[in-house]
Amino acid sequence: MGHKVHPNAFRLGVFRPWEANWFANPKDYTKMLHEDLEMRRVILGRLRNAGIAKIETERSSNAQLTVTIHTAKPGIVIGKGGSSVDQLREDLEKKFGNRVRISIQEIKQPELDAQLVAENIASQIERRISYKRAMKQAILRTMRSGAKGVRIYCGGRLRGAEMARREWDREGRVPLHTLRANIDFGRATAKTTFGAIGVKCWIYKDQMAPLRKQGVAADGAPIAEIAPQPEIVEAPPEPQAAVAAPVEATAAPAAAEPARRTRTTAAPKPKADAADKPARAPRPKAAPKTQAAAEKKAPAKKAPSRAKGAATPKDKS
């Protein structure tokens, strides 16, 4: 936590490839590494206004060097009739002594490339445009192009202030700790009369799908194939039907289980109990008759008591 890690280097090997693809012996590694760095300096210095986002290098076994230039302005790199590319290739071959092959790839959406966005903001600051306005406009264009999040950072003597400070602005979300997040990072430097101003840009495009590692069996068929979810749901009823069929087939020839048969015949007993209940139904009807008779008899017993009570006052009189 708190350590600043380069977003591109943090995702190398997860889904982002290396910009230099070659293998060298320990003795030649230092020489080839400095050749790559010097080659990038030469190309960027010559094609400063061509909108170059990145340069990829690849070395083959026959001492041939392939350079891929990703640019937003391929017309400037190629030149009239390819003269600019041919001149650049000849200069690189003379300087490094290897056969050089140059391929150019166009960037169709420069608003979604962090390096180009950072260079655009730096060039506006050099032309004395307000850094806040440049940042706001860059964020607006990037979000309109389909990005899910942008973050731009400027640091230095902003507006010629005596004390350097840092200003940043963000829109959307930029999950730097998510390895699957496709985050593009770029930085540029604006060289002004009152000092250098650094510009950094993070652009969150979308989450990348994880790479599935499948094993290979002896016959060449993949091992780690996962069936889709609907097939898993429909699979259970088939084995149940297959199991039920042999159970019915084995139940017919099995004659050595009398106990189970008696249990099945004993099952209808509750049905007989249910049949007895309607036979007992008239009994509660007789009960209310006895209660009604008892109620009728009760006033007959109370009548003589009332008569006795009525006779006593007469005797007193």
Side-chain angles (χ1 to χ4, degrees), residues 135-213:
M135 291 166 62
K136 292 285 186 183
Q137 289 182 353
I139 289 174
L140 185 61
R141 286 194 299 267
T142 304
M143 293 300 290
R144 283 180 179 176
S145 299
K148 291 191 173 181
V150 191
R151 181 185 175 189
I152 297 177
Y153 163 98
C154 292
R157 293 184 61 185
L158 301 174
R159 286 191 175 180
E162 292 186 1
M163 293 186 66
R165 66 180 189 276
R166 293 172 290 181
E167 297 285 344
W168 63 276
D169 195 359
R170 183 183 65 184
E171 186 172 348
R173 55 189 295 263
V174 184
L176 296 177
H177 281 210
T178 305
L179 282 172
R180 288 173 53 190
N182 184 8
I183 295 178
D184 194 13
F185 175 73
R187 55 188 174 185
T189 303
K191 297 179 181 179
T192 62
T193 56
F194 40 81
I197 294 177
V199 181
K200 294 181 180 180
C201 179
W202 293 262
I203 296 177
Y204 172 49
K205 299 177 182 178
D206 199 357
Q207 278 199 356
M208 301 293 291
L211 299 176
R212 294 185 179 180
K213 297 181 179 180

Side-chain angles (χ1 to χ4, degrees), residues 244-257 260-261:
V247 169
E248 294 175 0
T250 53
E257 295 180 358
R260 292 183 182 177
R261 290 184 178 178

